[in-house]
Amino acid sequence: MAQRRMVSPKITDTDVFLDMPLSSQALYFHLNMHADDDGFIDNINTIKRMVGASTDDEKLLIAKQFIIPFEDKGIVVIKDWRIHNYIRKDRYTPTIHNDIASRLTVDSNGSYQMKTDDKVDVTGSGQPDVNQMSTNGIPLVDAGKVRLGKDRLGKTNTMSSSNEHDESLVSATKQIIEKINQLSGRKFRVTDSAKRLVKPRLVDYTLDELLEMLEYKWNDWSDWDGRYNAFQPETLFRAKNTDKYIASMQAEPVKKESDSNDWLSNITEAADNA
């Protein structure tokens, strides 16, 4: 196995990468350092503990498509591994995860993509196909997933104007503030400061996604004493925080708070399990 690893600025100098929290960036670099010669990592939890990264950092890398997870195997692969590293044949050790490698193909840019039905491994080796072409000469690229960011396909941008007094921005900010107040019992107002916080988030996400994120974080923080103070626009709509929260929300179902009317059933269940 080769011991030297490289990282290409074509990936790490992009806005999508640099907009992530430093903890997520650090996890990505360490995953690159510990991957096998085909970019596979089978001990991501160990690496997270080693560098002090969180599960949210892992989820953000998955949501931004910097790594591809295989949850049934507990393995991830660096999506752009072949852009980062070229390993000489005399130093190359093939991955031991051939069953997973056979699920991947490599697009014309050198990035791993999950195979779809029309992407067939024609090599017969169980390894990802390099520069596989369709019958019309166009590289086969998985269009089913796109990176989160300003060019998200299939998402309608709520912002129609850069004017902070634009009706769509005022309406969206009002709904967001009302949602925060409804969940927390606080009394935030629709101020210019609030609109400035919400405005760039509406470029990257839809209003529905932001409202769903608020519901998710209120429930996610249900066991945290600092929830009331943290649940405010300045925290929720800071760019790096919003990206992280939505990535976490998309990776797992919303945790519901226990209904106060269920106290009797909870006690009964506890007694039954005693």
Side-chain angles (χ1 to χ4, degrees), residues 31-266:
L31 291 176
N32 271 277
M33 289 300 298
H34 291 85
D36 67 19
D37 287 355
D38 286 306
F40 290 86
I41 303 105
D42 56 13
N43 62 338
I44 186 170
N45 290 332
T46 299
I47 296 172
K48 284 191 297 184
R49 287 192 296 269
M50 182 175 65
V51 303
S54 68
T55 301
D56 281 347
D57 292 315
E58 176 187 354
K59 290 175 180 176
L60 185 57
L61 291 177
I62 293 171
K64 297 286 188 180
Q65 296 191 37
F66 287 109
I67 60 177
I68 300 173
F70 297 89
E71 296 179 359
D72 57 327
K73 300 290 186 179
I75 294 170
V76 299
V77 64
I78 307 293
K79 180 176 183 289
D80 298 310
W81 176 258
R82 290 170 178 251
I83 296 175
H84 293 310
N85 291 281
Y86 174 79
I87 300 174
R88 286 169 34 183
K89 289 184 177 180
D90 61 331
R91 297 182 179 178
Y92 167 73
T93 301
T95 184
I96 63 173
H97 304 295
N98 287 327
D99 56 333
I100 292 177
S102 64
R103 302 186 206 176
L104 298 171
T105 187
V106 179
D107 66 21
S108 60
N109 295 319
S111 297
Y112 285 131
Q113 302 285 350
M114 292 294 291
K115 285 183 179 179
T116 55
D117 292 340
D118 59 346
K119 294 178 182 177
V120 181
D121 181 356
V122 296
T123 65
S125 64
Q127 296 298 316
D129 308 336
V130 180
N131 296 333
Q132 184 179 349
M133 308 292 282
S134 65
T135 54
N136 60 2
I138 300 175
L140 290 172
V141 180
D142 185 357
K145 294 183 179 179
V146 293
R147 286 187 178 177
L148 299 176
K150 295 182 179 179
D151 299 320
R152 304 174 72 220
L153 300 179
K155 296 291 184 182
T156 302
N157 185 353
T158 310
M159 287 301 301
S160 60
S161 170
S162 60
N163 186 348
E164 289 181 0
H165 298 289
D166 176 71
E167 291 184 4
S168 63
L169 173 59
V170 174
S171 175
T173 305
K174 180 180 179 182
Q175 291 183 62
I176 285 171
I177 295 300
E178 287 177 346
K179 186 69 171 179
I180 293 174
N181 292 340
Q182 173 195 340
L183 291 168
S184 65
R186 304 183 72 172
K187 296 181 179 180
F188 293 106
R189 294 180 295 111
V190 180
T191 62
D192 287 343
S193 175
K195 286 184 283 187
R196 283 193 292 270
L197 285 167
V198 169
K199 177 182 171 183
R201 304 295 80 78
L202 289 170
V203 173
D204 292 336
Y205 304 103
T206 66
L207 175 59
D208 286 343
E209 285 176 317
L210 295 177
L211 293 173
E212 184 182 357
M213 180 269 289
L214 294 176
E215 184 87 28
Y216 170 78
K217 288 312 295 179
W218 181 252
N219 292 324
D220 187 49
W221 288 342
S222 61
D223 298 326
W224 179 37
D225 292 339
R227 173 174 71 165
Y228 183 82
N229 289 329
F231 204 75
Q232 57 178 300
E234 289 80 0
T235 302
L236 295 162
F237 293 101
R238 191 177 302 148
K240 293 180 180 180
N241 287 349
T242 304
D243 285 345
K244 205 168 186 176
Y245 299 158
I246 288 185
S248 180
M249 175 186 72
Q250 292 173 339
E252 66 181 31
V254 175
K255 180 178 69 174
K256 296 293 185 182
E257 289 189 277
S258 298
D259 193 296
S260 58
N261 294 326
D262 291 338
W263 66 271
L264 182 58
S265 61
N266 292 336

